Amino acid sequence: MTAKEKAKELMNKFVALTDPHHTKQCALICVEEILSHVPYHNNDQALWIINEQTADYWLQVKTEIEKL
C-alpha cells in the first residue's frame, strides 16, 4: 500500500467518529505513535535498514495526511 493510500485509509477510519479537523488530528496522532516505536538504529545492520525503511514510509504517510 502506498503512503497516500495508507493516509486515506487512516483518515477514513476516523471520519465516522469525529469532524474533519479532528479526523486529521487523530490520524496524525496514530502516525506519531507508530514513529515513536520505530527504532532508528540498532547494532544489527539489517534490522536498522528495515526500521529506517519503516520510518521513512510512516513519515511519507504523515506528509500525505497533512496534504489532505
Side-chain angles (χ1 to χ4, degrees), residues 1-66:
M1 178 176 290
T2 68
K4 188 173 188 172
E5 291 168 337
K6 179 55 81 175
K8 288 180 181 179
E9 179 185 60
L10 282 172
M11 294 282 286
N12 287 335
K13 288 181 185 262
F14 292 106
V15 75
L17 301 174
T18 187
D19 65 74
H21 175 73
H22 289 114
T23 297
K24 187 178 211 177
Q25 295 299 63
C26 290
L28 287 170
I29 288 168
C30 286
V31 172
E32 288 296 328
E33 281 297 308
I34 292 165
L35 284 168
S36 73
H37 294 287
V38 177
Y40 289 93
H41 55 80
N42 192 293
N43 291 334
D44 183 318
Q45 184 66 21
L47 180 60
W48 186 85
I49 291 169
I50 291 167
N51 288 327
E52 182 180 34
Q53 290 170 345
T54 301
D56 287 345
Y57 173 77
W58 286 105
L59 287 169
Q60 290 173 19
V61 171
K62 181 179 177 182
T63 298
E64 291 298 331
I65 292 169
E66 291 169 339

